[in-house]
């Protein structure tokens, strides 16, 4: 089998998606056997040869002109571009800072702010065609391995289109929302993590983003019923939905 | 005049470059240019409920997500006047140690070992069946296993909330972890020994900067005060009076100084400041490898961290499995600070809450921001006599890497 020419690139984010690949400690050698890692700055000093790529994994949102230039360059080089993680898909928590960006930056850097050319973080799909979206903040190790396995065989993995609740029910967990009366976002969040947090006993915070046709109205009603204020309900529902982009 | 640029920085977390000015063949100035984009966490937290803060700030950085979450919860508990149950405290300490083990193993074996072995990445070491790479990864996996058990999740853990922790790790999993930790006690010392070998590092001048670390009677990651190597001990909440932060035009990370002098945070600073304290690992010849001695300091901390983790797991096993691990929280106004040791050095979280428990002010100081001025000074000191351009570039990368920088942390950017 020909080795997959692969790059893993990161823009504005926390590095959690790339770290998740490095957290596949026992599988790194196997990954190396099927993929030629052309660029992965966090883990390798190999200079990028600039050649064509079979696939590029992109973590992070776009918030600097240089990042946009690099994203467009990667799109031209790569057969398949995969957006990995909340920041790449929706902007992630980076979009939650409301207000005028120049004023916000001046509040931090004072006079130096003008030297720093940045703009509000944007998801990748604003600028390029995205062939696959792998959700999660960050996506799990198993999802990285499934993705690389599928890419190495010339395909793309199938991703679940149902809610975290489906996986949670399969694991026969106590329902944190209805039975434990906690503000769990499982019903409106897309699956794929095998209900990791609710299975541990912690509420789903919605880090994989909204599931298709999420019933937000019913979820809001349930959360309000638990005593959360409208403001808190809105804040929880928008944390990983990129909401501030859609409803400015 | 000529400017050499090391770009991109590799085998570090985050985006940046080193710019070196060479005049008549001699290095005259160095800048560490952090290009990572600001994510404005301060603006993002303002007006939000105290309940939202721990989950949000863990997203500042993946490698440090556990310690950010614990720091935020502790600072908010201090603001709200809350004491958490002792068992909850132990679970948090275990999470911190897991993060320490994972982060140090990542830095030493995935990021630094390729330099010592003269390769580009750990992938080549694995291909060559280097036993250090295999063992290092297993150790990193142990750190992640601990984080998963104590935090519920490897990255952005969910077990820590204001008031305590969601649950105790299950007994049978703790017992299995204890066996795993015991099995490591003989394996670890020979593994970190390699980082003591002076020949693995380039020539170096002594590490610069006033050492800063959390002060405590033993050697622990948490405390209430800050200790400086110039002898000062300052209460944590007074950090603003002793750490001078300023923005510089060339970097998206602010520079910190104390009394006009760059600061050094991290494993080397911790061990030097704690010399003579109970439990503190002892550094041999502190200055021999200069800043590269930080690698050995991390190695010694790994031995310490595994020993501490064994103690904590035993204490958790001896505790009452039905004891409360979370206390009720009454929202209200208050101001709280937490000073804590992240794997790569001192981390400070500070919050003010309004009378409804919403964030009115937030301030976070991260180790890489604290170290930035020292990194520039060290690059200049270590490389001044070097004339070969390729050597300058190679060594600059190794010096920056020795600090184990975490660049997305450093550009979290909250108002100073």
């Amino acid at each position: 089998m020909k080795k997959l020419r692969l790059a893993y690139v990161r823009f504005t984010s926390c590095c959690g998606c790339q770290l998740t690949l490095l957290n596949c400690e026992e599988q790194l050698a196997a990954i190396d056997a099927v993929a030629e890692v052309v660029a992965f700055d966090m883990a390798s000093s190999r200079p990028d040869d600039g050649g064509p790529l079979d696939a590029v994994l992109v973590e992070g949102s776009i918030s600097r002109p240089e990042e946009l230039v690099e994203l467009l360059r990667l799109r031209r080089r790569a057969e398949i571009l995969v957006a990995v993680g909340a920041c790449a898909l929706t902007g992630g928590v980076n979009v939650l800072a409301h207000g005028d960006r120049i004023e916000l930056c001046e509040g931090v850097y004072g006079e130096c702010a003008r030297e720093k050319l940045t703009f509000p973080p944007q998801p990748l799909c604003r600028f390029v065609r995205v062939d696959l979206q792998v959700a999660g903040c960050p996506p799990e190790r198993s999802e990285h391995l499934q993705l690389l396995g599928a890419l190495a065989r010339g395909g793309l993995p199938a991703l679940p289109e149902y809610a975290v609740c489906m996986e949670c029910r399969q694991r026969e967990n106590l329902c944190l929302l209805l039975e434990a009366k906690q503000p769990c976002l499982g019903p409106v969040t897309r699956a794929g993590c095998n209900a990791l947090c609710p299975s541990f006993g912690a509420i789903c915070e919605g880090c994989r983003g909204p599931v298709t046709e999420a019933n937000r109205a019913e979820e809001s009603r349930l959360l309000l019923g638990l005593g959360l204020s409208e403001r808190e309900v809105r804040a929880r529902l928008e944390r990983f939905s990129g909401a501030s982009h859609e409803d400015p | 005049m000529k400017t050499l640029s090391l770009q991109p920085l590799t085998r570090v977390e985050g985006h940046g470059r080193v710019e070196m000015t060479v005049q008549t063949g001699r290095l005259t100035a160095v800048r560490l240019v952090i290009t990572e984009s600001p994510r404005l966490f301060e603006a993002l937290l303002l007006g939000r409920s105290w309940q939202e803060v721990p989950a949000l700030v863990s997203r500042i950085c993946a490698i440090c997500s556990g310690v950010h979450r614990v720091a935020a919860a502790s600072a908010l508990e201090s603001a709200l006047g809350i004491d958490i149950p002792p068992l909850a405290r132990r679970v948090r300490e275990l999470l911190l140690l897991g993060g320490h083990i994972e982060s140090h193993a990542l830095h030493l074996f995935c990021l630094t070992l390729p330099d010592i072995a003269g390769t580009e990445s750990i992938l080549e070491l694995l291909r060559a069946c280097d036993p250090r790479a295999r063992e290092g990864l297993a150790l990193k996996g142990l750190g992640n296993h601990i984080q998963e058990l104590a935090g519920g999740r490897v990255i952005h853990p969910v077990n820590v909330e204001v008031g305590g922790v969601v649950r105790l790790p299950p007994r049978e999993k703790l017992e299995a972890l204890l066996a795993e930790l015991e099995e490591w006690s003989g394996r670890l010392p020979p593994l970190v020994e390699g980082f003591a070998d002076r020949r693995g590092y380039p020539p170096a001048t002594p590490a610069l900067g006033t050492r800063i670390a959390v002060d405590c009677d033993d050697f622990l990651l948490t405390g209430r005060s800050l200790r400086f190597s110039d002898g000062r001990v300052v209460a944590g909440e007074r950090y603003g009076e002793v750490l001078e932060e300023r923005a510089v035009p060339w970097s998206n990370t602010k520079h910190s100084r104390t009394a006009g002098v760059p600061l050094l945070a991290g494993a080397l600073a911790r061990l030097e400041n704690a010399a003579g304290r109970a439990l503190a690992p002892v550094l041999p010849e502190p200055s021999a490898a200069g800043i590269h001695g930080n690698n050995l300091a991390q190695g010694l901390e790994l031995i310490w961290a595994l020993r501490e983790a064994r103690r904590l797991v035993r204490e958790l096993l001896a505790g009452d499995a039905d004891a409360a691990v979370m206390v009720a929280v009454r929202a209200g106004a208050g101001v709280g600070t937490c000073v804590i040791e992240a794997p790569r050095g001192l981390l400070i979280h500070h919050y003010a809450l309004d009378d409804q428990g919403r964030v009115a002010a937030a301030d976070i100081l991260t180790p890489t921001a604290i170290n930035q001025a020292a990194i520039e000074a060290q690059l200049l000191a270590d490389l001044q006599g070097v004339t070969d351009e390729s050597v300058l570039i190679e060594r600059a990368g190794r010096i920056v890497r020795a600090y184990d920088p975490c660049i997305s942390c450093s550009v979290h950017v909250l108002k100073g």
Side-chain angles (χ1 to χ4, degrees):
Chain A
M1 198 160 66
K2 189 178 144 286
K3 269 196 173 189
L4 182 76
R5 268 178 62 88
L6 179 79
Y8 202 165
V9 179
R10 183 183 78 90
F11 298 117
T12 301
S13 65
C14 78
C15 227
C17 305
Q18 291 202 333
L19 180 61
T20 300
L21 184 60
L22 283 178
N23 282 349
C24 301
E25 289 101 1
E26 287 174 17
Q27 293 87 14
L28 276 185
I31 292 169
D32 183 60
V34 297
E36 177 191 353
V37 182
V38 179
F40 186 6
D41 286 350
M42 184 190 178
S44 173
S45 300
R46 171 181 160 160
D48 185 351
D49 58 28
L53 298 165
D54 295 313
V56 59
L57 276 51
V58 183
E59 167 183 352
S61 52
I62 302 297
S63 73
R64 289 191 294 133
E66 297 88 336
E67 291 181 338
L68 179 53
V69 170
E70 178 60 14
L71 177 67
L72 296 172
R73 201 171 69 90
L74 287 166
R75 181 63 276 188
R76 285 195 296 273
R77 287 174 69 188
E79 189 86 15
I80 291 170
L81 185 145
V82 184
V84 182
C87 298
L89 267 60
T90 66
V93 299
N94 309 330
V95 304
L96 298 179
H98 298 285
D100 182 86
R101 186 158 176 102
I102 294 172
E103 274 175 33
L104 293 172
C105 286
E106 276 176 356
V108 176
Y109 295 116
E111 284 183 11
C112 296
R114 266 162 278 150
E115 318 264 340
K116 307 182 193 311
L117 295 173
T118 67
F119 50 85
Q122 307 285 325
L124 304 186
C125 62
R126 285 282 154 102
F127 307 109
V128 294
R129 189 184 84 240
V130 172
D131 299 298
L132 185 76
Q133 300 199 330
V134 180
C137 184
E140 293 303 307
R141 284 175 284 203
S142 57
E143 296 179 277
H144 273 85
L145 295 173
Q146 281 159 11
L147 171 65
L148 293 178
L151 288 171
R153 282 160 186 78
L156 290 174
L159 300 177
E161 295 193 3
Y162 40 83
V164 168
C165 283
M166 294 277 281
E167 295 172 335
C168 203
R169 280 303 189 205
Q170 274 173 0
R171 294 185 69 169
E172 300 183 348
N173 296 323
L174 171 89
C175 178
L176 293 173
L177 181 62
L178 300 176
E179 294 171 272
K181 307 284 180 208
Q182 292 177 28
C184 183
L185 296 191
V188 290
T189 303
R190 83 170 106 174
C193 55
N194 202 18
L196 181 74
C197 301
S199 303
F200 179 81
I203 54 167
C204 170
E205 56 171 330
C207 84
R208 305 180 61 82
V211 67
T212 319
E213 296 180 11
N215 190 346
R216 284 166 65 100
E218 179 64 7
E219 178 75 17
S220 298
R221 198 183 63 76
L222 288 167
L223 297 186
L224 288 169
L226 298 178
L228 291 181
S229 70
E230 271 186 42
R231 180 170 161 165
E232 282 171 58
V233 171
R234 206 166 45 240
R236 280 173 192 264
L237 285 172
E238 83 169 19
R239 191 185 295 171
F240 290 101
S241 63
S244 62
H245 276 290
E246 307 311 324
D247 319 308
Chain B
M1 196 179 86
K2 183 175 179 184
T3 303
L4 294 178
S5 183
L6 165 60
Q7 184 178 22
L9 285 173
T10 57
R11 278 185 279 128
V12 296
E13 189 278 347
H15 296 301
R17 63 178 186 271
V18 177
E19 286 180 357
M20 293 175 278
T21 309
V22 178
Q23 273 177 319
T24 58
R26 195 164 174 273
L27 183 69
T28 53
V30 181
R31 277 179 174 180
L32 177 63
V33 181
I34 301 296
T35 53
E36 187 89 23
S37 191
R39 288 186 293 146
L40 303 167
F41 271 83
E42 181 202 46
L44 176 164
L45 291 173
L46 287 182
R48 284 180 192 269
S49 157
W50 56 273
Q51 288 174 300
E52 276 215 273
V53 177
L56 285 172
V57 296
S58 80
R59 266 77 190 191
I60 290 173
C61 166
I63 305 177
C64 316
S65 58
V67 66
H68 274 298
R69 189 150 184 155
V70 171
S74 305
L76 290 166
E77 282 150 5
S78 154
L80 295 167
I82 293 166
D83 254 338
I84 67 166
L87 278 182
R89 199 172 298 281
R90 293 205 173 92
V91 174
R92 288 186 185 182
E93 282 172 23
L94 187 61
L95 172 64
L96 292 176
L97 289 171
H100 224 71
I101 294 166
E102 194 280 330
S103 181
H104 280 4
L106 171 72
H107 178 242
L108 291 177
F109 297 98
C110 299
L111 311 184
T112 298
L113 185 60
D115 280 329
I116 293 173
T119 58
E120 287 169 346
S121 79
I122 187 155
L123 296 175
E124 287 169 282
L125 296 174
L126 287 173
R127 229 171 285 150
C129 298
D130 189 314
R132 295 169 295 180
R134 199 186 55 234
E135 282 283 275
L137 283 174
L139 182 64
K140 180 176 171 310
L142 171 69
N144 275 335
H145 180 194
I146 297 174
Q147 293 195 95
E148 218 161 8
L149 211 55
R153 201 176 175 190
V154 174
I155 296 171
H156 306 323
V158 291
N159 199 20
V160 175
E161 294 288 0
V162 177
V165 296
V166 175
R167 62 173 284 188
L168 285 173
R171 190 172 181 86
E172 64 280 7
K173 290 194 177 171
L174 283 174
E175 281 166 352
L177 174 62
L178 188 60
E180 199 183 346
L181 284 165
E182 266 155 15
E183 190 250 324
W184 265 101
S185 60
R187 266 162 91 183
L188 188 53
L191 194 56
V192 302
E193 231 163 53
F195 295 96
D197 189 346
R198 180 70 194 78
R199 289 166 301 179
Y201 305 115
T205 57
L208 297 171
T210 300
R211 281 35 166 183
I212 183 170
V214 168
D215 187 53
C216 47
D217 293 337
D218 298 321
F219 183 71
L220 296 169
L221 302 176
T222 53
R224 309 191 76 84
S225 312
L226 302 174
R227 174 175 288 273
F228 293 83
S229 56
D230 58 19
R232 281 177 296 164
V233 178
V234 178
E237 55 271 19
R238 288 183 49 218
Y239 73 92
E241 298 165 32
V242 285
L243 288 172
E244 303 138 25
E245 262 204 320
R246 71 182 173 100
V248 292
W250 63 88
S251 178
N252 287 356
T253 297
K254 286 187 182 177
H255 276 210
S256 285
R257 283 182 158 73
T258 187
V261 181
L263 287 154
L264 178 65
L268 186 65
R270 276 194 290 266
L271 296 199
E272 286 187 17
N273 270 9
R277 294 288 171 101
L279 304 175
V282 180
L283 265 178
E285 303 175 70
S287 65
I291 191 59
H292 302 286
N294 195 42
N295 294 313
L296 173 61
Q298 287 194 343
L300 297 172
E301 281 196 345
L302 278 170
I303 297 173
W304 164 85
L306 263 71
R307 199 174 54 222
E308 281 295 289
R310 283 199 295 278
R311 174 183 67 80
L312 277 170
V313 173
R314 282 200 198 98
E315 287 177 11
L316 283 170
L317 283 168
D320 175 4
D322 297 320
V325 287
M326 178 82 83
V327 295
V329 178
R330 243 184 100 105
V335 177
T337 306
C338 171
V339 295
I340 197 164
E341 288 292 334
R344 49 202 45 71
L346 175 67
L347 172 68
I348 303 172
H349 278 230
H350 171 87
Y351 302 97
L353 298 176
D354 68 14
D355 53 3
Q356 295 185 71
R358 290 179 183 153
V359 177
D363 192 17
I364 300 180
L365 267 78
T366 64
T368 300
I370 291 171
N371 277 335
Q372 197 186 203
I375 298 176
E376 288 186 350
Q378 194 75 49
L379 282 162
L380 190 59
D382 275 15
L383 299 178
Q384 234 164 6
V386 179
T387 49
D388 185 315
E389 291 182 6
S390 63
V391 176
L392 270 177
I393 293 281
E394 192 245 326
R395 287 207 192 148
R398 294 196 63 178
I399 292 165
V400 173
R401 217 167 280 135
Y403 289 85
D404 191 9
C406 203
I407 290 172
S408 47
C409 266
S410 74
V411 195
H412 66 282
V413 177
L414 307 190
K415 214 174 275 183

